[in-house]
Amino acid sequence: MAGRAQPLRVLLTLGSLMAIGSLSGHAEAMTPLFLGAIASALAETDDSGPGRLRAQAVTLACFAAAAFAVVSWIDHPVLFVPGLALAAFSLTMLGAIEPRYKAVGFATLILAVYAMLGIDGSAAAPGGAGRLHEALLLLAGAAWYGVFSVAWCTLFPAQPVQAQLAGLFRVLGDYACFKASLFEPLRGIDMERKRLSLAQLNTQVVAGLNAAKEGIIRRIVSTRAPTGRIVRYRGLYLIAQDVHERATSSHDDYNALADAFFHSDLLYRCQRVLTLQGEACRRLALSIERREPFAADPATGHALAELHSAIDHERAQQREPRRAALLASIEAMAWNLAQLERQLAGATEPSARAGRADMGLFDRSPRSAREMVERVRRQFTPRSALFRHALRLAVALVAGYGVMLLIHPVRGYWILLTTLFVCQQAWGDTVSRVGQRIAGTAIGVVAGWALLVLFPQPWTQSLLAVAAGVFFFATRATRYLLATAAVTVLVLMCFNQVGDSDTLMVPRLIDTAIGSLIAALAMVLVLPHWQARRFSDLAAAALRNHAHYLRQIAGQYRSGARDDLAYRLARRNAHNADATLSTAVFEMFREPGFVRPRAGTALRFLIQSHTLLSYLSALGAHRVALPAPQQLEALRAEAEGAAAALDALASYMEGGPPEAVAKPVDLAPPEAAPPGSAAGDHAAKLFRTELALVRQQIETLRDQAGQWLQPQPEGTAGN
């Protein structure tokens, strides 16, 4: 449950522990209590009150098993080394179940290393009661943080969802404002670069949508009949989904629009409307944060009216058929913007239902122990990035333990701790953390030394330790270098309570460098999983989800728009797949050059795939019932042809025969009207215009796929 409130919970926990330790005269207990609380906070995820209680019980059970295993086996390397490897692998694989288990598994490994540090720094005899006492103090600190965590979730159940929704509408506003920049009627604009930036922003929007949905579901599941703010937040989430679909919609080639209306202000008027709507999303985010009523800006309504007036003026002067066809796209864009404004206006309602009949959400959480086991089982393959990471981490920790015994057997467990924090699933994240971890530790050591000199009083150092712990949790997600410096200060302050922390400074720097080096080497030597190896599978998944989304859209042209669960799920899966592909491609550019010889092709594929999704979104935004059955069936047949072409292209990306995608997409030319259609049927014309754009994108994606899958020249192996 990372967020603004977590540092406050950490402050309450560490502050109360410091007070208890000071009043009881047991300053030596401060270090394990603090470390236990930190491990418990690292395991915390967003949940309802009852859910947090259950999660805390599971966390403490895992912590207890890890701590007592370390106490029992640390003096027996024959048992300890395989146990360490097995624990690292198994606990990492728990991430296959869902994010909360990933957090618990990682925090359990952290606590195990903290237990090693406590035993290594204690004077207790091997296997003696002193070691058990250290382990119990770690668990006590973890449990104490759990008390504050559960109490907070019970007292403020909707606060995390409130923060998630505010963040979602804020990034949605950023997306809309940037999308508005595509409407500039300027020649020579690098549209591909703008599309690429949109794909990046879309990844943030998708992440915000997923986080908000999971937070809402956890609170709906915990109550039989959700009421009050959770009901309103669910409505706001559904509004965000609709706004997202309409904001991502593209109704024609923007370069063609800019060329056709270069001397007109039509596109500027479209840009102004979408910009105002992006700002409205930001104001809605602020109103959610402050729990204030949201009021729509009348300026947007005036801007829409002026846009429609400009369209009428342009229509009266039409001469060229091509310009008339492009004006129809502008009209469709204006209608879409008007519907987007209607959705934002629905946020003013207390329930935020906006006329919806189906308010259901799809819960992706496992429903049984069998499903949990099945999720983990599916990841037991070398093709799985999680499997490779789990194995890599296990090998890295064992290697770190061996290096520790060879060169630094006393207080060398910092090597394991550094390796654990630095070794990430992605190469770019690992390399980034290597530099930040080393630099942050150096800064923390210097700052810690200065603070120890300036403030020699134990009680002052305890206050500094608390402040450093709070600062760590406030910055660990956004400023990892500063977070590392803060936790280094915390450790130095704590250990100075029971000994001379000067002996920790230089060893901690050396151990940090060694642990970081081991993590980096493990990424290269132990089952490296470069993003180029995943690209074909991720691209195929995106294409299949686009095809399913298109089929759901086409199905709703029979009965009209219905935002039912099946449609919203298909839409969300398409955007999730697009965001996953986008993340992989950008990660690819953070990897060594020799493993990504075709990164440019992957980047172009991503741009075209995201553009395809924007055309599909426009089809989804304009769902209406087509009255003529013959017309409807003809258009649905064309949509099915496009969906089948996407499925065939996905099979090709997965290693299927190229013959499956060698023929052109089986679509009628956009100028031809389906049998039985009326010449003035706006909905049918728009349907065919968007399908023509989809066809063009499929052809472009086929070319990009052929370039990606062509035989690789010798000397460029590794991707």
Side-chain angles (χ1 to χ4, degrees):
M1 196 189 306
R4 297 180 181 178
Q6 192 181 41
L8 181 56
R9 291 192 292 275
V10 172
L11 174 62
L12 294 174
T13 304
L14 298 186
S16 58
L17 287 175
M18 183 196 71
I20 293 171
S22 300
L23 293 175
S24 64
H26 292 286
E28 73 284 353
M30 299 282 289
T31 299
L33 287 172
F34 273 29
L35 294 179
I38 289 172
S40 185
L42 290 172
E44 188 182 34
T45 54
D46 178 37
D47 221 324
S48 61
R52 181 92 285 275
L53 182 61
R54 290 191 296 270
Q56 190 64 34
V58 172
T59 300
L60 288 177
C62 292
F63 282 8
F68 294 143
V70 169
V71 169
S72 302
W73 294 352
I74 194 168
D75 293 321
H76 307 283
V78 175
L79 296 175
F80 184 77
V81 172
L84 176 63
L86 181 62
F89 179 82
S90 303
L91 290 169
T92 304
M93 289 299 294
L94 288 179
I97 301 174
E98 61 176 351
R100 74 175 72 186
Y101 289 96
K102 176 182 178 181
V104 170
F106 176 74
T108 301
L109 289 174
I110 294 294
L111 185 121
V113 179
Y114 285 164
M116 299 175 202
L117 289 170
I119 292 171
D120 190 48
S122 68
R131 293 186 171 185
L132 183 61
H133 181 66
E134 288 283 327
L136 290 174
L137 287 174
L138 282 171
L139 295 177
W144 189 240
Y145 180 83
V147 170
F148 286 96
S149 178
V150 173
W152 194 281
C153 290
T154 303
L155 293 172
F156 309 103
Q159 187 184 65
V161 180
Q162 177 185 357
Q164 290 159 354
L165 276 174
L168 167 59
F169 276 100
R170 189 169 288 111
V171 72
L172 199 53
D174 294 342
Y175 182 92
C177 288
F178 187 85
K179 178 70 178 288
S181 69
L182 271 65
F183 297 158
E184 294 178 352
L186 302 176
R187 295 180 176 129
I189 293 179
D190 189 351
M191 198 59 68
E192 281 199 347
R193 183 179 293 276
K194 285 184 176 290
R195 287 283 190 186
L196 188 61
S197 298
L198 272 179
Q200 287 180 284
L201 280 172
N202 188 60
T203 301
Q204 298 177 32
V205 176
V206 170
L209 284 165
N210 290 337
K213 187 199 75 170
E214 294 302 320
I216 293 168
I217 284 178
R218 289 190 183 108
R219 284 151 184 84
I220 290 176
V221 170
S222 65
T223 57
R224 295 183 179 179
T227 58
R229 280 196 290 161
I230 293 301
V231 171
R232 171 169 168 73
Y233 289 161
R234 179 177 59 181
L236 289 172
Y237 165 76
L238 294 176
I239 287 175
Q241 275 200 332
D242 293 339
V243 170
H244 182 217
E245 181 176 57
R246 296 188 181 281
T248 55
S249 298
S250 292
H251 295 79
D252 217 313
D253 181 356
Y254 288 112
N255 285 324
L257 291 173
D259 187 64
F261 300 104
F262 184 76
H263 298 289
S264 169
D265 66 349
L266 276 176
L267 289 180
Y268 277 125
R269 292 186 183 277
C270 292
Q271 182 185 66
R272 171 167 168 74
V273 173
L274 189 55
T275 300
L276 288 172
Q277 290 170 338
E279 293 172 355
C281 287
R282 293 168 177 166
R283 287 189 291 104
L284 178 54
L286 194 61
S287 73
I288 293 172
E289 280 184 334
R290 297 176 177 177
R291 297 176 61 183
E292 297 174 348
F294 171 70
D297 186 358
T300 309
H302 295 321
L304 275 168
E306 292 169 356
L307 172 59
H308 285 290
S309 177
I311 291 173
D312 293 338
H313 177 75
E314 182 69 28
R315 189 189 301 112
Q317 301 181 5
Q318 284 304 313
R319 297 182 180 89
E320 301 175 7
R322 175 58 178 161
R323 190 178 175 94
L326 290 173
L327 182 61
S329 296
I330 297 287
E331 289 182 283
M333 192 186 307
W335 183 88
N336 184 47
L337 292 172
Q339 297 305 307
L340 195 159
E341 182 63 19
R342 177 176 173 272
Q343 291 295 329
L344 288 174
T348 61
E349 301 176 11
S351 64
R353 292 185 67 93
R356 290 179 177 81
D358 185 354
M359 302 280 285
L361 300 176
F362 182 72
D363 187 2
R364 299 179 186 270
S365 301
R367 292 170 174 78
S368 64
R370 169 180 282 186
E371 187 176 350
M372 292 182 183
V373 173
E374 178 59 23
R375 289 190 180 190
V376 175
R377 187 195 65 78
R378 285 198 298 265
Q379 296 296 320
F380 265 84
T381 169
R383 292 176 61 87
S384 166
L386 180 63
F387 177 87
R388 287 173 172 253
H389 174 60
L391 194 59
R392 187 184 306 125
L393 184 61
V395 172
L397 289 178
V398 170
Y401 183 74
V403 171
M404 180 199 78
L405 293 180
L406 285 175
I407 66 172
H408 199 180
V410 179
R411 290 186 177 177
Y413 291 101
W414 297 110
I415 296 175
L416 300 185
L417 190 64
T418 300
T419 300
L420 192 54
F421 272 108
V422 170
C423 190
Q424 301 294 300
Q425 191 164 318
W427 163 266
D429 291 338
T430 300
V431 171
S432 175
R433 286 208 170 190
V434 165
Q436 293 184 72
R437 188 81 186 181
I438 294 174
T441 300
I443 293 172
V445 165
V446 173
W449 171 81
L451 290 172
L452 288 172
V453 172
L454 292 173
F455 305 102
Q457 302 87 355
W459 67 270
T460 309
Q461 294 171 10
S462 297
L463 289 175
L464 291 172
V466 172
V470 174
F471 190 77
F472 168 73
F473 280 95
T475 58
R476 69 188 181 98
T478 55
R479 299 286 187 272
Y480 188 71
L481 186 148
L482 296 178
T484 300
V487 80
T488 301
V489 170
L490 182 148
V491 168
L492 292 177
M493 296 297 123
C494 286
F495 275 89
N496 198 63
Q497 301 290 312
V498 294
D500 186 6
S501 63
D502 291 342
T503 60
L504 280 179
M505 293 183 181
V506 174
R508 180 158 171 78
L509 279 172
I510 296 173
D511 292 346
T512 297
I514 294 173
S516 299
L517 178 61
I518 291 172
L521 289 175
M523 290 295 298
V524 178
L525 302 177
V526 184
L527 292 179
H529 198 55
W530 310 116
Q531 296 299 332
R533 287 178 173 169
R534 306 177 61 210
F535 178 78
S536 293
D537 290 339
L538 296 179
L543 293 171
R544 291 194 191 282
N545 280 286
H546 292 349
H548 183 57
Y549 183 25
L550 176 56
R551 290 188 175 102
Q552 284 288 327
I553 293 170
Q556 296 211 358
Y557 275 81
R558 179 184 297 277
S559 58
R562 299 186 322 277
D563 284 339
D564 53 18
L565 181 58
Y567 176 79
R568 287 187 278 109
L569 184 60
R571 179 175 62 188
R572 188 56 29 221
N573 287 340
H575 279 282
N576 281 337
D578 179 78
T580 301
L581 181 65
S582 176
T583 300
V585 170
F586 285 105
E587 283 294 335
M588 191 185 301
F589 278 87
R590 301 172 68 189
E591 295 174 348
F594 69 89
V595 301
R596 49 179 176 89
R598 295 176 187 164
T601 302
L603 193 64
R604 290 188 292 273
F605 188 99
L606 169 64
I607 293 170
Q608 301 305 327
S609 176
H610 186 70
T611 303
L612 170 64
L613 182 57
S614 70
Y615 293 144
L616 295 178
S617 296
L619 272 174
H622 291 272
R623 288 166 288 147
V624 293
L626 297 178
Q630 195 175 9
Q631 179 189 68
L632 172 64
E633 292 307 317
L635 291 175
R636 289 187 65 184
E638 292 188 12
E640 177 57 35
L646 286 170
D647 283 334
L649 185 55
S651 298
Y652 179 47
M653 291 295 295
E654 291 172 332
E659 293 80 9
V661 293
K663 61 180 181 179
V665 181
D666 188 16
L667 286 177
E671 294 80 11
S677 65
D681 191 334
H682 175 74
K685 285 183 177 180
L686 179 61
F687 193 116
R688 294 181 61 76
T689 298
E690 292 299 328
L691 277 182
L693 295 169
V694 168
R695 177 187 61 187
Q696 294 171 5
Q697 288 306 116
I698 294 175
E699 295 291 347
T700 304
L701 286 168
R702 178 187 291 109
D703 294 339
Q704 299 297 333
Q707 293 180 32
W708 177 265
L709 295 174
Q710 67 183 355
Q712 187 173 328
E714 293 186 9
T716 59
N719 69 326

